Amino acid sequence: MISFYNTLTRKVEDFKPIEDCKVGMYSCGPTVYDFAHIGNFRANIFVDILKRSLKYFGYEIKHVMNLTDVDDRIIDISLKKEMTIQEYTKPYIEAFFEDLRTLRIQPADVFPKATEHIEDMINMIEALQKNSLTYDRSGSVYYKISNFKNYGELAGIKPEDLKDGARIDTDRYDKDNVQDFALWKAKKLDGEPCWESPFGCGRPGWHLECSAMSIKYLGETFDIHCGGEDLIFPHHQNEIAQSEGATGKRFVNYWLHCAHLQLDGEKMSKSLGNFYTLRDLVAKGYDPIALRYTLLATHYRSPLVFSFETVEQSAAAINRLRDFRRRLEREKPEGGDVNKSSEVLETADKGFNEKLSNDLNISGALGEVFTFVRNINGMLDDRELTEQGRIGALALLCKWDSILDVLKESERGAVDKEYVEEMIAKRIEARKEKNWHEADRIRNELLDDGIILEDTPQGTTWKKK
RNA sequence: GGCGGCGUAGCCAAGUGGUAAGGCAGAGGUCUGCAAAACCUUUAUUCGCCGGUUCAAUUCCGGCCGCCGCCUCCA
């Protein structure tokens, strides 16, 4: 049984999907006005680990992630650049998908765009109007939160507490109450993109798309909704108000939120300017998979302070796993301790599953992985592992990697394998003649090309640096 | 002002009312022609500080200090 911390109840709860073995989940996607930064990708990695873990435990997933391709910033910038919003956002949508691939984040099953679901949003506004949860102001439509029961429930906030000391409301639109939010924004500027609606020409408010599109693809009530913790309030609270206000049904059963990535003592964010993009890290020579490991290795609800040192440490940890796999693939043990071999496998399998199923305790699960690596390496050294055990160990490692996805090397810099093999053959000759000088020269030459040689009992092997 | 979270070795990071996983880095050793990889030993009498509850607290309670977040767009 897998359990999750549910923001709604503030407790770790056993996960029970609406339909046995099937999970509907929605995660808030990017606003595609610029490149995403690695703080954004912490949330995406979290969702990826969540999805892969659910699959690992046998669930079938339907995952929906929105692409916000219309909002104030997108409109402002595209107007300035004299582009349509589609022209302006397209490269950033493509870059986002490319970054997901680079980080091995499995794509959602559906990536609905806000601009392609205007009608669904209009329908939702009309349902809210029928339920007396809205009011109109000069062509805009607002949600009247005082008419929704339990507003603030998700964040543990009482609406009346928001007033004291709250920061200044900067919204450009006029509302009865500063906490009310726009469902429909009337067109303000010439050339601004807008859609016809019963309320006039305009465009949807930001919160609305997630309600309309999640319900469209996942139904009025679905299992999991997730994102960064900054979305808890007001975004996710507003989604609840909209969805439940329109349908009268429970919107989402489990709300999961991940903590922020920090840099320079603050949340990494675009507006603060303290961010790196994935492209920045790759340009500095870091392996994106080392970043993947960094972002997944800390529990999702703990704050994570970004540093390049941590990324380097992650790279070293990954190397240990990759070296372990290469050793398992290379060695062909004979004999061995049958009982001990199966026992070590069983303990590790069980330990990993227990840790992971407990609110995705990935750090604990990784502890099990590395303990296993040490145990098996020691058994190989002592000739205690059986061939059966070796095959089982490899299978277990691959099973874990269905979640971690760090074993495969990043595709960067092609290697001329024939040349490497040729050099290794030459070096073997030199070593036979005990010409250590020549052997070392060849090894160093390959090292300069980024190839590391290892002399094992099974012969000389190589790997990329 | 309201609400929430965090503080564990040089660095990263789990965890539990019963005496501190794991990774990285460091030191010593085994193996190796030398390396690399691997293994062994070693690195927190101690879990921000101060009290309290308890036979026993890092783990529960209270206070304090430091840091972060949300209440505005935000992963």
Side-chain angles (χ1 to χ4, degrees), chain A residues 23-30 44 47 51 55 61-68 93 96-97 100 106-114 116-117 120 209-210 212-219:
Chain A
V23 178
M25 61 184 275
Y26 185 91
S27 59
C28 288
N44 292 114
V47 173
K51 260 170 79 175
K55 285 181 191 170
I61 317 294
K62 182 172 183 184
H63 175 209
V64 179
M65 179 190 278
N66 65 300
L67 297 172
T68 301
I93 292 173
F96 178 68
F97 286 144
L100 291 185
Q106 294 181 342
D109 300 290
V110 191
F111 283 104
K113 289 178 186 160
E116 292 170 3
H117 295 78
D120 300 294
E209 62 179 90
C210 290
M213 300 194 297
S214 61
I215 285 176
K216 175 165 186 173
Y217 293 102
L218 295 169

Side-chain angles (χ1 to χ4, degrees), chain A residues 374-407:
Chain A
R374 178 162 36 75
N375 287 156
I376 295 292
N377 269 325
M379 287 174 71
L380 281 167
D381 286 352
D382 300 340
R383 298 176 180 276
E384 287 179 323
L385 191 73
T386 61
E387 171 63 7
Q388 199 62 35
R390 186 206 127 238
I391 291 167
L394 203 47
L396 193 55
L397 188 66
C398 290
K399 191 169 96 169
W400 291 334
D401 198 50
S402 73
I403 293 170
L404 306 174
D405 208 349
V406 297
L407 286 179

Side-chain angles (χ1 to χ4, degrees), chain A residues 44-57:
Chain A
N44 292 114
I45 291 277
F46 151 61
V47 173
D48 191 50
I49 296 299
L50 170 62
K51 260 170 79 175
R52 288 172 182 257
S53 298
L54 286 165
K55 285 181 191 170
Y56 176 95
F57 286 116

Side-chain angles (χ1 to χ4, degrees), chain A residues 3 6 16 22 42 55 63 111 127 137 142 146 150 176 226 235 277 282 297-298 322 326-327 329 343 363 373 457 465:
Chain A
S3 60
N6 189 348
K16 292 180 188 124
K22 287 193 178 178
R42 182 185 192 191
K55 285 181 191 170
H63 175 209
F111 283 104
R137 285 289 176 283
Y142 295 98
S146 58
N150 296 342
D176 282 2
C226 45
H235 183 55
T277 63
V282 171
T298 296
R322 289 177 179 171
R326 290 170 55 248
R327 183 176 188 188
E329 286 170 342
E343 197 186 306
S363 318
V373 170
K465 199 174 176 180

Side-chain angles (χ1 to χ4, degrees), chain A residues 37 39 46 62 87 117 164 221 284 336 351 355 380 450:
Chain A
H37 59 71
F46 151 61
K62 182 172 183 184
E87 285 166 351
H117 295 78
D164 254 12
T221 302
K284 284 174 187 280
K355 296 292 193 309
L380 281 167

